[in-house]
Amino acid sequence: MDVRIEQSWKRELQEEFDKPYFQALTEFVRSEYRTTTVYPPGNLIFNAFEKCPFDKVKLVIIGQDPYHEPGQAEGLCFSVRENVPFPPSLQNIFKEIEMETGTPIPTSGSLERWATQGVLLLNATLTVRAHQAGSHQGKGWEQFTDAVISILSRKKEHLVFFLWGAYAQKKGAVIDRSRHCVLQTAHPSPLSVYRGFWGCDHFIKANEYLRTNGCQEIVW
């Protein structure tokens, strides 16, 4: 199957695109976009891959679903489009960065600036129906993004993975801890942020690990 995605990722993922589950997923997603409102816009489904080519990945953040309200989702986990109010989890992420590094909370909630530095902002499910969280779960996206994580773990070295919350930690179980730095804590949502996200120092620790392994640090 010919999928429009950044070329280095296409090379790595072509085997997945040719599998029956992905063809069934494609048919489902196309039907959804034709018959209902789906986020993100179709041209941004693979935005995380477009903005962060395989060869450039240094750090991976694993989210769950795209935002499901109008104008929010841009195909990057936790990120919202320009001029959109920050959702609570993103607000807490920025607060933690400010506490760790002194970097002021930005005016834009778009994390494209992270993606272009080598941060793969990967949701487990890449599409969602408007106003219906989780509506595209169990259709094949999870199998696809599991394959993405597995390929990164096997083919690259010295990556940093942020696994925030039980869902991301379960999804990241495949990661080879002997080759990569895996940082786990509670999800930054208001319901769980006090269970370990505050004060986790993940943003500092990630840059220390990257620096130690000869990689340029992320400007948060």
Side-chain angles (χ1 to χ4, degrees), residues 107-163:
T107 56
S108 169
S110 175
L111 302 181
E112 185 176 317
R113 61 188 180 278
W114 293 3
T116 56
Q117 294 180 76
V119 180
L120 181 68
L121 295 158
L122 182 68
N123 274 317
T125 303
L126 300 189
T127 55
V128 67
R129 272 193 187 189
H131 319 301
Q132 296 182 43
S135 50
H136 284 188
Q137 291 177 5
K139 304 296 184 181
W141 279 130
E142 294 93 338
Q143 186 173 343
F144 172 70
T145 51
D146 281 349
V148 171
I149 295 166
S150 179
I151 288 167
L152 286 167
S153 178
R154 285 187 287 107
K155 294 197 173 186
K156 296 183 77 75
E157 290 185 333
H158 307 311
L159 298 182
V160 180
F161 289 85
F162 286 173
L163 306 183

Side-chain angles (χ1 to χ4, degrees), residues 12-80:
E12 297 296 333
L13 294 169
Q14 188 59 56
E15 192 174 311
E16 292 302 308
F17 297 146
D18 291 336
K19 291 179 178 178
Y21 88 86
F22 195 87
Q23 297 180 32
L25 170 63
T26 300
E27 290 172 12
F28 166 77
V29 170
R30 284 174 176 164
S31 173
E32 287 285 283
Y33 274 93
R34 279 196 307 268
T35 59
T36 188
T37 301
V38 179
Y39 300 125
N43 65 326
L44 296 179
I45 292 173
F46 294 114
N47 197 31
F49 303 90
E50 297 294 335
K51 294 293 188 294
C52 184
F54 180 81
D55 302 331
K56 304 291 186 184
V57 178
K58 296 189 286 191
L59 188 148
V60 183
I61 303 178
I62 298 176
Q64 193 162 351
D65 262 9
Y67 295 119
H68 54 266
E69 296 302 327
Q72 291 182 306
E74 61 174 0
L76 308 172
C77 75
F78 292 104
S79 179
V80 290

Side-chain angles (χ1 to χ4, degrees), residues 174-213:
V174 69
I175 300 163
D176 184 345
R177 266 69 169 173
S178 70
R179 293 165 64 93
H180 306 287
C181 173
V182 177
L183 298 174
Q184 300 187 176
T185 192
H187 194 277
S189 76
L191 294 174
S192 57
V193 71
Y194 292 99
R195 297 178 192 156
F197 187 81
W198 290 143
C200 67
D201 287 340
H202 280 188
F203 302 94
I204 288 175
K205 290 174 181 176
N207 275 342
E208 287 174 350
Y209 180 84
L210 292 172
R211 185 171 64 248
T212 300
N213 287 283

